[in-house]
Each structure stands twice: as C-alpha cells, then as structure tokens.
Amino acid sequence: MKNASLIILFLLCTLMGVSQDVIVLRGIVLNNDTIPQIDLKEVEIISLKIPSTNRGRRKLTRLIKNVKRVYPYAKLAGIKLRQYDYRLQKAKTDRERKKLMKQAEKEINEEYGGELKKLTFSQGKILIKLIDRETGETSYDLVQELRGNFTAFFYQTFARIWGYNLKVRYDPLGEDRQIEAIVRMIELGQL
C-alpha cells in the first residue's frame, strides 16, 4: 500500500512538474535573501482627456479625425525636408540651390497640391503645428530658410488674411497636449 501511494505521489509530482513552465531568472542576494531581477518592457502612458459633455466629446472626435488626416502630411514634410536639405548641402552655387528649390516646390505641388487644397481650416492649422513638431522649425522659418525673406513675408501675410499663422509653435505640454496624445497614440498603433 505504501508503495502504491509513493508511486501515485511520484506520478502526481511528475505531472505537475511537466505542466509548469520553468523560468530561469537573474537574481541578487541581499541579506541572505534571493531577489529575482526581471526586465520589463517600457510602457508609455498617454493621457487623452475625455470631456464630460457631448459637445466636448464631438470636438475631441473631430480633433482625432483631423489629426489622423494631416499627420501623414506632416511626417512627409519632415522626410522631404531632410531629403531636400541633403540635396541643398551638395549644391555648389546659389543658382543651383534656387533651381533645386523651385523643382522641389513644383514636385510637391504636383504630387500633393490637390490633396492639400481639400484640407479644412482646422486641418490646416493642425498641419502647421505638426510640421513644427516633425521638423523642429515653424512653417515661416522653413519658407524663410528655403525660399527667402520676401517669400516668407508674402506667405505669412497671405496666411494671416485667411486666419493662419505660419509662425505658430507646437506646444506639446500646453495648448497642444491633446494633439500630442493623439499623435503618440497613432504612432503606437492605438488609433
């Protein structure tokens, strides 16, 4: 009887051992106590403030839709700027630089001009801010750097007539906190 009990106990222990996964961990010994060390993946916590009113929730939904619509253009602007910046550095003369810039402007207008003209007023304002986020420079500074002072002044004046400001800065910790949260969620694949 004792032998049968021992065999059953042995089989149960063996079965329990097979069904459990064994994980080998690093550990440190502190005061004769072993403490396991586990590396955890970094978790980013994004706080998107959800309004309590229906009107506020509709505004947030519209903001999410607008950011999702223009964010790819802002990313593209950052990529294109790096490409053109590289080409401009290789240019030997001012004449060659101007020619490159006119060519770049023509390419962008042909490829994206029609789509950008379809953006709403709100989407345009968000795009201007997101371009600053992606490039680290305001739209005004970019135009000034790439096309000159007069063109930048002309574009800014024209933009102001329509209610835009090319000199606006992106403020991810202040005014643009919701936009930043939406962008981070898009980047993490949550939206």
Side-chain angles (χ1 to χ4, degrees):
M1 192 70 156
K2 286 184 177 180
N3 288 340
S5 299
L6 285 174
I7 292 173
I8 292 173
L9 183 63
F10 176 74
L11 287 174
L12 284 175
C13 289
T14 305
L15 289 174
M16 289 175 68
V18 170
S19 66
Q20 294 179 350
D21 292 332
V22 176
I23 300 173
V24 179
L25 299 173
R26 290 185 316 227
I28 59 170
V29 178
L30 187 63
N31 297 331
N32 292 328
D33 193 14
T34 305
I35 301 171
Q37 287 184 318
I38 302 171
D39 294 327
L40 299 174
K41 292 180 184 176
E42 184 176 322
V43 176
E44 184 173 351
I45 298 172
I46 301 169
S47 67
L48 186 62
K49 185 177 178 186
I50 308 294
S52 58
T53 65
N54 284 337
R55 182 173 182 236
R57 285 191 292 274
R58 282 192 306 269
K59 279 179 73 173
L60 178 61
T61 301
R62 220 173 14 257
L63 180 63
I64 292 169
K65 177 184 156 220
N66 289 339
V67 171
K68 285 172 77 172
R69 169 96 194 261
V70 300
Y71 182 62
Y73 294 118
K75 289 293 283 183
L76 183 68
I79 292 166
K80 290 284 189 186
L81 179 66
R82 287 185 285 283
Q83 288 173 349
Y84 292 128
D85 204 29
Y86 178 73
R87 287 184 195 171
L88 288 172
Q89 287 177 358
K90 286 189 164 200
K92 293 174 179 47
T93 65
D94 282 341
R95 182 177 174 156
E96 194 176 338
R97 282 184 191 84
K98 285 183 181 181
K99 185 178 177 184
L100 278 170
M101 286 315 304
K102 289 205 184 237
Q103 178 188 357
E105 187 175 357
K106 183 180 176 188
E107 287 174 11
I108 290 171
N109 271 333
E110 286 175 357
E111 196 168 343
Y112 306 104
E115 296 172 36
L116 292 175
K117 286 179 183 176
K118 293 178 186 175
L119 295 179
T120 66
F121 179 79
S122 299
Q123 290 168 346
K125 287 181 102 169
I126 293 168
L127 180 60
I128 289 170
K129 288 183 176 196
L130 289 179
I131 286 173
D132 179 25
R133 180 186 187 272
E134 289 301 313
T135 64
E137 297 183 61
T138 66
S139 296
Y140 180 85
D141 292 337
L142 291 172
V143 172
Q144 187 177 32
E145 181 183 317
L146 300 172
R147 294 292 310 271
N149 288 333
F150 179 75
T151 305
F153 175 76
F154 176 75
Y155 281 13
Q156 173 66 358
T157 303
F158 190 71
R160 294 300 286 173
I161 290 171
W162 291 101
Y164 296 103
N165 182 3
L166 300 180
K167 293 181 180 181
V168 72
R169 298 296 315 205
Y170 183 72
D171 183 14
L173 301 176
E175 180 183 341
D176 302 318
R177 186 178 307 151
Q178 288 283 74
I179 294 173
E180 180 66 19
I182 294 166
V183 168
R184 294 296 304 136
M185 290 173 80
I186 290 170
E187 290 173 344
L188 294 172
Q190 296 174 350
L191 278 178

